[in-house]
Amino acid sequence: MKSLTLLAPLLFCVTLLCSSLNVASDSAAEALAILKWKASLQSQNHSVLLSWNTSNNPNTKTSPCAWFGIHCNHADSVIKINLTGYGVKGTLHLFPFLSLPNLAELDLSTNELYGIIPPKISQLSKLTYLDLSFNQFSGQIPPEISHLVHLQTLHLAGNQLNGSIPREIGQLKFLTDLALCSNKLNGCIPASLGKLSRLVSLLLYNNSLSGPIPPELGNLRNLVEVYLDTNRLTGPIPSTFGNLKNLRVLHMFNNSLSGPIPSELGNMESLSEISLYHNNLSGLIPTSFGDLRLLTLAHLYENQLSGPIPEEIGNLNSLVDLELSENQLNGSIPASLGNLSNLEILFLRDNWLSGSIPNEIGNLMKLTMLELDHNNLTGNLPQGICRGGSLEYFTANDNQLTGPTLKG
């Protein structure tokens, strides 16, 4: 027993020494792996990479933890690489990264990386954050990316990726941010994205996506922003979007969407921006829009909307920008628009509006831009229309207005 008592501290020291040697060995191996990737780059002499080198002092432990853009945990193991925005040029040579077993975050955005995204990226099994945005990657998004089961952020925006969005991305159940915008992606939006129940941000704009918007996206109750604009989407706006009670931004402009605007959109109580311009939408502007009390921007212009402007729009006290031009709206301009005390932009031109311009428009003290031209408006210009002193741009030509001109 006495011998064991004497041996215990010795065994502890040996264990501690072995553990320390293992950590040092692992750290040196990770340093070597990172240097291998540096050697594959065309910009290996870039100023930000100068710190990536082994020490000339043999008594100094080789560790990458002090290198620029490299972050380690308490065990000196690399957990994060962040080289965003430094003009690093080369291919995504993955083999060295596979020697970093604890790598959780890889941010190589805004560089000059090119080539394909290798399918072997699936082997970076602990990744929670992957940002390869604003590079020159081409080819398809590898379906194998779905094997990154811990991924919370996937940003591939601003590249030259083509092909369709892999339906397998719908398997990334922890994903909160998905940005595939500004690529050359085509085909349909996969209905499987409707399984991403934790998704907060969905950015698919500026691609060549076609076909209908999947109704399954209405299942994503945590969504805060949806950008589907500047694609080739067709068909109706899903009424299921009315389930998105946390949605703040909905941009679907510059598509070929058709059919009516669903009245269910009035249920999106958190919505602050809705932009549906330059589509083929028809039918009435839903009166339920009057329930969107947080709305600051409504762009519905360049469609085929008809019928009157709903009186209920006057309930939107937060509205700053209302643009309904280039539709087929008829009837009179509602006097209730005079309640929009924060309104700065009101565009109603190129419609079939008739009747007089309501005097209540003069109540809009913050109004800077007003377009009423190319309608069938009659009567006099309200003399109080400029009394707020903010109006800088006003058009009312091509109507049937009479009476004296406005006084400055």
Side-chain angles (χ1 to χ4, degrees):
M1 288 294 292
K2 189 173 182 180
S3 300
L4 288 174
T5 303
L6 293 171
L7 280 173
L10 180 61
L11 288 171
F12 176 75
C13 289
V14 170
T15 302
L16 194 62
L17 177 61
C18 288
S19 174
S20 177
L21 288 173
N22 283 336
V23 168
S25 175
D26 291 345
S27 186
E30 293 190 0
L32 184 60
I34 293 171
L35 289 176
K36 282 183 179 178
W37 184 60
K38 176 184 175 181
S40 74
L41 297 172
Q42 295 178 25
S43 55
Q44 54 187 280
N45 292 323
H46 195 291
S47 60
V48 301
L49 302 182
L50 291 179
S51 65
W52 292 17
N53 59 74
T54 54
S55 172
N56 293 323
N57 183 351
N59 297 318
T60 302
K61 181 180 71 172
T62 301
S63 170
C65 297
W67 294 356
F68 181 88
I70 307 297
H71 304 265
C72 297
N73 59 16
H74 63 280
D76 281 354
S77 182
V78 176
I79 58 172
K80 178 180 178 180
I81 298 177
N82 184 348
L83 289 179
T84 183
Y86 289 102
V88 175
K89 188 173 185 178
T91 59
L92 187 59
H93 184 48
L94 273 181
F95 181 74
F97 293 110
L98 300 179
S99 301
L100 308 176
N102 295 306
L103 186 64
E105 297 185 31
L106 181 59
D107 189 343
L108 302 176
S109 60
T110 319
N111 282 293
E112 297 179 42
L113 300 173
Y114 57 87
I116 65 167
I117 299 174
K120 281 191 176 180
I121 201 164
S122 63
Q123 296 180 30
L124 301 178
S125 58
K126 292 193 177 179
L127 278 187
T128 61
Y129 186 101
L130 177 61
D131 193 344
L132 304 178
S133 298
F134 304 105
N135 280 286
Q136 299 163 25
F137 289 111
S138 56
Q140 300 190 3
I141 300 172
E144 291 85 354
I145 212 163
S146 64
H147 297 162
L148 301 176
V149 295
H150 301 292
L151 209 58
Q152 298 172 22
T153 296
L154 177 58
H155 289 176
L156 304 178
N159 283 288
Q160 300 171 31
L161 299 170
N162 56 37
S164 57
I165 299 172
R167 55 185 172 80
E168 290 85 354
I169 286 181
Q171 298 172 20
L172 298 173
K173 62 181 181 179
F174 293 111
L175 205 62
T176 60
D177 292 277
L178 178 60
L180 307 178
C181 45
S182 297
N183 278 289
K184 299 178 179 179
L185 299 172
N186 54 39
C188 296
I189 299 173
S192 61
L193 297 189
K195 297 178 182 178
L196 301 175
S197 59
R198 301 190 184 197
L199 203 64
V200 171
S201 177
L202 177 61
L203 279 60
L204 304 181
Y205 66 87
N206 198 20
N207 279 291
S208 296
L209 299 171
S210 58
I213 299 171
E216 288 83 356
L217 296 186
N219 298 332
L220 305 179
R221 306 290 180 106
N222 289 308
L223 274 177
V224 171
E225 55 179 5
V226 172
Y227 292 85
L228 305 181
D229 53 276
T230 317
N231 279 290
R232 301 173 182 172
L233 300 172
T234 57
I237 298 172
S239 60
T240 54
F241 273 34
N243 299 327
L244 305 178
K245 299 293 182 70
N246 293 307
L247 197 68
R248 295 177 189 170
V249 179
L250 178 59
H251 284 192
M252 297 193 290
F253 59 86
N254 279 343
N255 280 291
S256 296
L257 300 173
S258 58
I261 299 174
S263 61
E264 289 84 355
L265 298 193
N267 297 329
M268 297 189 294
E269 56 194 30
S270 300
L271 201 64
S272 64
E273 292 186 17
I274 184 166
S275 189
L276 307 177
Y277 72 84
H278 198 69
N279 278 289
N280 298 317
L281 299 171
S282 58
L284 306 177
I285 298 174
T287 57
S288 62
F289 267 36
D291 296 327
L292 302 175
R293 300 303 178 96
L294 300 180
L295 202 64
T296 61
L297 180 148
H299 285 179
L300 307 182
Y301 61 92
E302 291 184 36
N303 280 290
Q304 300 170 29
L305 300 171
S306 58
I309 299 171
E311 289 275 350
E312 290 80 0
I313 296 289
N315 297 333
L316 305 179
N317 293 326
S318 299
L319 204 57
V320 173
D321 187 348
L322 176 61
E323 302 188 26
L324 308 179
S325 299
E326 297 183 62
N327 280 290
Q328 299 166 19
L329 300 172
N330 55 37
S332 58
I333 299 173
S336 62
L337 295 188
N339 299 330
L340 303 177
S341 57
N342 289 299
L343 199 65
E344 297 177 10
I345 298 172
L346 177 58
F347 289 173
L348 304 179
R349 64 180 174 82
D350 280 321
N351 278 292
W352 300 345
L353 298 171
S354 59
S356 59
I357 301 171
N359 290 323
E360 288 80 359
I361 296 295
N363 297 335
L364 304 178
M365 297 297 175
K366 295 183 180 180
L367 197 65
T368 60
M369 303 180 73
L370 175 60
E371 292 186 350
L372 304 176
D373 53 281
H374 292 85
N375 279 288
N376 296 315
L377 299 171
T378 57
N380 297 336
L381 289 174
Q383 290 298 309
I385 205 167
C386 297
R387 67 189 177 94
S390 300
L391 197 61
E392 299 174 358
Y393 178 79
F394 174 42
T395 60
N397 54 291
D398 289 295
N399 281 290
Q400 301 175 38
L401 298 169
T402 58
T405 58
L406 295 178
K407 296 178 181 179

